[in-house]
């Protein structure tokens, strides 16, 4: 092996899967598989002992799962990069892995060429994402952030839905009328509306205000 050879460990609770990945990498002279582990805790111990350049880690494993193992490895005084290699591509799984410190997220249908390039990129400190994973992350980032109203804003809007004027809302909640107006302006901005009626309608449609309570009164 040359000085530029990248040292990798393969972590997966399925021995056949581990063997397959090791066999794929065996054909690449610039990458050396230096160890295998069948659970997350064993992976952490392997990283501590061998300090590989890259750890290929599955998500669903016994003893310690891939996310927990990633968190521990990232916290070690080593330069090992964690590259997730899994079959799971849900938003929750991806987010957990990335938040834990994984530098990349690949799916097990990746080709040998893609895997080799991903290992090289990960070792250089570059983020690596399977195309499907990248698409999901981009789509998630483009989704509008959910509207969140404070408890006081909900109380004010609830009173509006009851047909109360600003003055009456102030009396009900024991706050100044000017404060009621301030809360309403904030609600309008959050819901992107310009009047009280639309604010109530949008809030009900979004589940921010209970619909049945007011509908039963109508």
């Amino acid at each position: 092996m040359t000085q530029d050879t990248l040292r990798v460990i393969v972590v997966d609770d399925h021995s056949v899967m581990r063997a397959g990945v090791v066999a794929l990498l065996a054909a690449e002279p610039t990458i050396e598989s230096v160890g295998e582990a069948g659970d997350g805790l064993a992976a952490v111990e392997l990283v501590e002992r061998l300090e590989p350049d890259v750890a290929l880690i599955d998500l669903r494993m016994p003893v310690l799962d891939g996310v927990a193992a990633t968190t521990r490895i990232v916290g070690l005084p080593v330069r090992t990069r964690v590259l997730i290699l899994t079959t799971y591509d849900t938003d929750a799984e991806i987010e957990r892995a990335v938040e834990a410190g994984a530098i990349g997220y690949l799916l097990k249908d990746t080709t040998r060429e893609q895997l080799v390039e991903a290992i090289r990129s990960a070792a250089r400190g570059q983020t690596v994402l399977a195309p499907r994973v990248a698409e999901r992350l981009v789509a998630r980032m483009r989704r509008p952030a959910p509207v969140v109203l404070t408890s006081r804003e909900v109380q004010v809007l609830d009173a509006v839905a009851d047909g109360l004027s600003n003055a009456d809302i102030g009396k009900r909640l024991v706050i100044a009328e000017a404060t009621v107006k301030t809360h309403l302006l904030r609600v309008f901005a959050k819901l992107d509306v310009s009047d009280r009626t639309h604010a109530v309608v949008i809030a009900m449609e979004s589940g921010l205000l209970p619909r049945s309570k007011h509908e039963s009164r109508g």
Side-chain angles (χ1 to χ4, degrees), residues 50-103:
L50 301 177
E51 297 189 19
D53 297 294
V54 177
L56 287 174
I57 298 182
D58 188 19
L59 281 183
R60 305 281 180 89
M61 295 185 296
V63 187
L64 203 63
D65 69 12
V67 171
T70 297
T71 300
R72 293 199 189 185
I73 290 171
V74 171
L76 293 174
V78 297
R79 296 179 60 84
T80 301
R81 310 285 188 178
V82 175
L83 188 54
I84 299 297
L85 182 61
T86 183
T87 57
Y88 304 98
D89 64 348
T90 64
D91 289 351
E93 300 282 9
I94 296 168
E95 282 186 15
R96 289 178 64 232
V98 172
E99 289 174 358
I103 198 166

Side-chain angles (χ1 to χ4, degrees), residues 163-183:
L164 273 61
S165 66
N166 286 356
D168 289 335
I169 294 172
K171 291 176 183 177
R172 175 191 280 188
L173 302 179
V174 196
I175 57 177
E177 186 175 348
T179 304
V180 173
K181 291 179 180 178
T182 299
H183 284 307

